[in-house]
Amino acid sequence: MALLSVLTPVLALLLCLVVGYMLLKSRHAESTSGQEAKVDSRPWVDQDLQDDTEHAQREDGREGDDWVDSSEKQDIPHVPYSATRYPEETMVERSKEFYSLLNQRRTVRRISPEPVPREVIDTVIRTAGTAPSGAHTEPWTFVVVSDPEIKHQIRQIVEEEEEVNYRQRMGDKWVKDLAKFRTNWIKDYLDVAPYLILIFKQTYGILANNKKKTHYYNEISVSIACGILLAALQNVGLVTVTSTPLNCGPQLRLLLKRPTNEKLLMLLPVGYPAADATVPQLKRKPLEDIVVHI
């Protein structure tokens, strides 16, 4: 009993210390969480996409001195808008015709070296540039390569990295999943195709006065533009391979002398299909598997 009476104050002190520590830890966690919420004032950045937009802020929450001050309101004139309205039967017919056109789009790796009119390439890229973008920042750069030497250098960079990808980075499952499509790290179409279109996302803009401009949703915006570009290429009878060269972006950016605010999103070899071109006999998911009406 005497021992218990001596230990009781000690146990009480220890209990008080533990409770106090837990309270302090809880308050620190709440404070840290609040600070993180305050700092993260970029709701347009999609964390799933790991957007690399640089955004330096001062302690008062405003952007750094090297960023353009967007606090001043700029009124953009609005003009009337009208779209062609079709009868219901025409709408159905046009929707089916457009579906039929795009349903023929396939990834083609056997591309003809036959020249393609430069005007066609410029127009399909202009079409891609009609894509919507966050705050109309148009955060895309389309680099068109037709020079044989530059195309070959691009091929060397891509094949070197792709061999490492296939042998080490991608893993056995990924490689096995690709085997049925008969693909490997050899990309001869990068030499053969008359044009290579490399699409870069601008993680931020650089104005004439060297100030930086925030590009909202830049990766999503450029991805939409890529989709429109694929449709435009299909519309004129050209083919491509939708490639995203893993670990090649920095080297290709330097080769093409692009600024540090641009990151490679997609590489498209573009041309007519070769006479001996083949594609896997694939089936697309039926409508009921890709749509949900509520």
Side-chain angles (χ1 to χ4, degrees):
M1 293 296 293
L3 179 61
L4 182 61
S5 62
V6 172
L7 290 177
T8 298
V10 176
L11 293 173
L13 177 61
L14 288 173
L15 182 60
C16 290
L17 290 173
V18 170
V19 172
Y21 172 76
M22 293 177 66
L23 288 173
L24 287 173
K25 186 176 181 180
S26 174
R27 290 179 180 177
H28 176 71
E30 291 177 359
S31 175
T32 303
S33 176
Q35 290 175 0
E36 290 177 352
K38 182 178 181 180
V39 171
D40 188 14
S41 58
R42 298 181 294 159
W44 59 87
V45 176
D46 189 330
Q47 297 300 320
D48 286 342
L49 295 177
Q50 294 298 300
D51 194 302
D52 292 320
T53 302
E54 297 177 14
H55 197 84
Q57 290 186 321
R58 298 194 294 261
E59 290 183 359
D60 60 3
R62 298 182 64 191
E63 297 171 345
D65 293 334
D66 56 343
W67 288 79
V68 66
D69 185 1
S70 58
S71 59
E72 297 182 5
K73 292 184 178 180
Q74 297 178 352
D75 185 35
I76 298 178
H78 281 54
V79 295
Y81 173 79
S82 61
T84 303
R85 181 157 183 168
Y86 303 99
E88 184 175 330
E89 297 79 6
T90 305
M91 292 174 62
V92 172
E93 181 181 353
R94 287 174 63 89
S95 67
K96 290 181 177 179
E97 288 177 353
F98 191 65
Y99 164 72
S100 179
L101 172 67
L102 291 192
N103 191 39
Q104 299 172 47
R105 189 211 56 78
R106 298 298 302 274
T107 291
V108 178
R109 292 179 171 82
R110 296 288 294 170
I111 299 177
S112 169
E114 182 182 353
V116 173
R118 166 76 175 272
E119 183 181 3
V120 173
I121 299 300
D122 288 344
T123 303
V124 296
I125 290 176
R126 179 179 292 178
T127 303
T130 66
S133 60
H136 194 59
T137 51
E138 301 176 295
W140 39 67
T141 301
F142 299 86
V143 179
V144 181
V145 180
S146 58
D147 181 88
E149 179 57 33
I150 301 298
K151 288 196 296 181
H152 187 64
Q153 292 181 52
I154 291 173
R155 177 181 177 180
Q156 289 179 316
I157 291 172
V158 171
E159 287 188 343
E160 181 179 348
E161 289 295 334
E162 279 287 84
E163 182 173 5
V164 178
N165 292 336
Y166 272 82
R167 293 188 183 279
Q168 299 178 22
R169 298 187 183 116
M170 290 163 53
D172 293 340
K173 185 178 185 305
W174 190 350
V175 174
K176 288 179 180 178
D177 285 343
L178 289 174
K180 59 188 175 184
F181 300 110
R182 304 176 189 173
T183 66
N184 54 40
W185 58 83
I186 305 300
K187 313 293 182 186
D188 54 354
Y189 50 73
L190 295 176
D191 271 326
V192 176
Y195 291 102
L196 304 182
I197 303 178
L198 294 92
I199 303 99
F200 289 81
K201 68 171 186 173
Q202 300 169 6
T203 56
Y204 55 88
I206 301 178
L207 304 180
N209 58 3
N210 290 324
K211 290 281 189 178
K212 296 178 181 178
K213 179 182 179 182
T214 304
H215 279 177
Y216 309 90
Y217 293 113
N218 56 76
E219 186 157 1
I220 295 176
S221 300
V222 180
S223 297
I224 296 172
C226 288
I228 295 177
L229 178 58
L230 292 175
L233 290 171
Q234 179 68 19
N235 183 57
V236 296
L238 298 176
V239 297
T240 187
V241 183
T242 49
S243 65
T244 52
L246 187 63
N247 294 298
C248 297
Q251 294 181 72
L252 294 178
R253 181 181 63 79
L254 291 174
L255 173 65
L256 300 174
K257 299 177 181 175
R258 302 311 307 158
T260 56
N261 66 315
E262 294 186 1
K263 295 184 182 296
L264 181 65
L265 189 68
M266 188 172 292
L267 190 166
L268 302 178
V270 173
Y272 299 107
D276 61 348
T278 62
V279 295
Q281 188 174 6
L282 303 176
K283 292 184 178 180
R284 304 190 194 280
K285 291 181 178 179
L287 179 64
E288 57 267 22
D289 285 355
I290 65 172
V291 67
V292 176
H293 289 286
I294 299 177

